[in-house]
Amino acid sequence: MADHIRAIAPAAPGIAGPMPARARVESIDVARGIIMILMALDHVHDFFGDLTSQPTNLDTTTAALFFTRWITHFCAPMFFLLTGVGACLTRRRLHKAELARFLLSRGLWLIFLELVVMRFALQFNVDYQVTIITVLWALGWAMIVLAALIWLPAWAIAGMGVAMIVGHNALDGVAPFTFDRLAPLWTVLHVPGPIFDNGRSLVFVAYVLVPWVGVTALGYVLGQVYRMDAAGRRAWLGWLGVGLCVAFVVVRLANVYGDPRPWSTQTSVLWTVMSFIDTNKYPPSLLFLLMTLGPALLLLRAFDRGVPGWLRPALVIGKVPLFFYVLHFFLIHLLAVAASWWRYGRVSEMFESPDLAHFPFSQPSGWGASVPVLYLIWLAVLVLMFPLCRWYAGVKRRRTDWWLSYL
């Protein structure tokens, strides 16, 4: 992110000096790469899985399908957190006003990508009959809000982030219709749902803003640990990670607050564990974020000493996450088109706007693939994407064109 800008932050006692203009934190890059790889598995399921039932519905799922979906829950929280961390690291290279302008422009760019580019990648049409607004939308708005928050002291940013994450479940009982004409605003902020429906076009917000903005704000505060010496940084990451994991277990055991779906004892230990960790993502509940952000911090600590050789491919992908994100949707959708032609001799469904239950396209009868096939397709996507990511990472390493910071 604007790596060519000269580092300007002064050194302070007990704090590492300014990072070189092109320095990157490998533990952050490899963490991004891992979550992008896992995210691809979720999107392969979106295009090749059976969408008539939810993978986390304990009444209809299998253990293999449940954990295939559950492991991808770590992706969005970690990406929002690292967006905040990245903004804090960039602050060491930019004046605060420059950082605010960058966050604002980058946020607007992500919203454009969501509404135009990703909408086409998901449906391969431009009829806008059905538009589901997802992660880039929320990430864009989180960056825009962060552009304003960075002017506050760190304790105020942290307080607002904690309040958004811890307190938003207290408002779960407030329905959008309570606000009459302002109902769409409450939907955007807190309750996933439609914000526009005239019978011909539907706009549905899946990623609401309040909790995700809170995660990004806390990520910005967390970025301060990367100004510490290595021992201090690892201690903070370790204790915070363990603390969030313990908090998840304690609050979840209480079964009183933090998630709209209480857990219950099932017919076996495995299924009881599945019920215990089956927390709500839309919107992300307090328990969902505790469950995912605690391990995320421990992962950052684990790679703080260095990235093992077998994870170098993830490191490459983590250096170009937005490039991977946008391109892999087009690739998966094209593979689905090819599979439809091979299986049915037609591809019309691949270009039709679906109903919400069958998003992102109207699946032909018998379409859903088995879990082993989903994993094979996922591996094929990664094999095809890696050379492209390695090439683009090389371009970004060799060049300093301003537009490269936007993809």
Side-chain angles (χ1 to χ4, degrees):
M1 189 184 295
D3 285 339
H4 61 288
I5 302 296
R6 178 174 55 87
I8 61 173
I15 294 179
M19 298 169 63
R22 282 189 172 274
R24 299 187 67 97
V25 181
E26 286 199 340
S27 60
I28 293 177
D29 280 339
V30 75
R32 281 199 186 103
I34 291 171
I35 62 177
M36 298 311 295
I37 289 169
L38 291 176
M39 189 180 294
L41 176 60
D42 189 31
H43 299 151
V44 164
H45 176 265
D46 286 342
F47 280 91
F48 287 92
D50 182 4
L51 298 183
T52 59
S53 62
Q54 292 295 321
T56 55
N57 184 343
L58 297 186
D59 294 328
T60 59
T61 193
T62 64
L65 186 58
F66 175 91
F67 284 105
T68 295
R69 170 56 175 158
W70 181 83
I71 193 63
T72 67
H73 281 343
F74 291 86
C75 300
M78 199 164 183
F79 206 77
F80 279 86
L81 184 77
L82 294 182
T83 294
V85 173
C88 183
L89 295 179
T90 303
R91 173 69 183 92
R92 302 181 65 182
R93 304 180 179 95
L94 300 176
H95 293 292
K96 191 172 288 188
E98 293 173 317
L99 176 59
R101 285 194 297 270
F102 182 85
L103 290 170
L104 176 61
S105 62
R106 180 62 174 260
L108 292 173
W109 170 241
L110 292 181
I111 293 171
F112 171 82
L113 285 178
E114 176 71 55
L115 298 179
V116 179
V117 178
M118 296 312 303
R119 200 268 173 200
F120 180 77
L122 286 167
Q123 298 192 45
F124 281 176
N125 67 54
V126 291
D127 61 21
Y128 282 87
Q129 292 182 19
V130 177
T131 301
I132 296 187
I133 297 176
T134 58
V135 64
L136 291 188
W137 155 274
L139 193 62
W141 280 110
M143 296 182 81
I144 291 170
V145 174
L146 188 59
L149 292 181
I150 63 172
W151 298 95
L152 300 175
W155 64 264
I157 301 173
M160 293 180 67
V162 170
M164 290 181 191
I165 291 172
V166 175
H168 81 276
N169 284 121
L171 303 174
D172 286 346
V174 181
F177 68 81
T178 306
F179 298 93
D180 197 18
R181 293 183 179 179
L182 294 179
L185 177 60
W186 187 243
T187 299
V188 167
L189 292 175
H190 192 270
V191 182
I195 58 172
F196 178 81
D197 185 2
N198 65 359
R200 298 184 303 275
S201 297
L202 170 69
V203 180
F204 186 97
V205 174
Y207 274 71
V208 299
L209 300 187
V210 168
W212 293 122
V213 169
V215 174
T216 308
L218 289 183
Y220 184 79
V221 178
L222 178 68
Q224 298 288 336
V225 304
Y226 287 93
R227 301 188 66 191
M228 298 178 178
D229 57 52
R233 177 173 61 252
R234 290 166 193 156
W236 271 98
L237 291 173
W239 283 112
L240 285 173
V242 170
L244 292 183
C245 291
V246 171
F248 166 71
V249 174
V250 171
V251 178
R252 188 60 164 161
L253 281 173
N255 230 8
V256 174
Y257 179 79
D259 197 275
R261 297 199 300 261
W263 68 280
S264 60
T265 302
Q266 304 292 310
T267 56
S268 69
V269 173
L270 175 61
W271 285 80
T272 299
V273 170
M274 289 163 59
S275 175
F276 192 81
I277 63 176
D278 182 24
T279 53
N280 198 65
K281 181 180 179 180
Y282 302 104
S285 67
L286 166 63
L287 283 164
F288 177 90
L289 293 173
L290 291 175
M291 178 184 72
T292 52
L293 291 178
L297 295 175
L298 295 178
L299 188 67
L300 289 173
R301 187 193 184 284
F303 294 130
D304 194 71
R305 295 182 183 274
V307 178
W310 61 276
L311 276 176
R312 303 309 288 187
L315 181 62
V316 172
I317 293 173
K319 293 178 179 179
V320 290
L322 185 57
F323 176 84
F324 179 94
Y325 182 86
V326 173
L327 205 59
H328 92 291
F329 267 109
F330 283 94
L331 175 59
I332 294 171
H333 200 163
L334 286 172
L335 291 175
V337 171
S340 181
W341 178 261
W342 176 65
R343 292 182 61 184
Y344 303 98
R346 68 181 190 273
V347 296
S348 57
E349 291 92 345
M350 301 295 124
F351 298 86
E352 295 176 355
S353 293
D355 56 39
L356 287 177
H358 299 90
F359 189 83
F361 60 88
S362 301
Q363 294 184 343
S365 177
W367 173 256
S370 64
V371 171
V373 172
L374 293 177
Y375 276 87
L376 287 175
I377 298 171
W378 172 56
L379 291 175
V381 168
L382 297 179
V383 169
L384 292 170
M385 284 296 304
F386 179 72
L388 298 172
C389 291
R390 183 171 55 186
W391 165 79
Y392 188 64
V395 171
K396 295 192 74 172
R397 185 177 61 251
R398 294 188 301 269
R399 305 184 57 153
T400 58
D401 305 82
W402 66 268
W403 58 269
L404 289 172
S405 65
Y406 286 83
L407 187 59

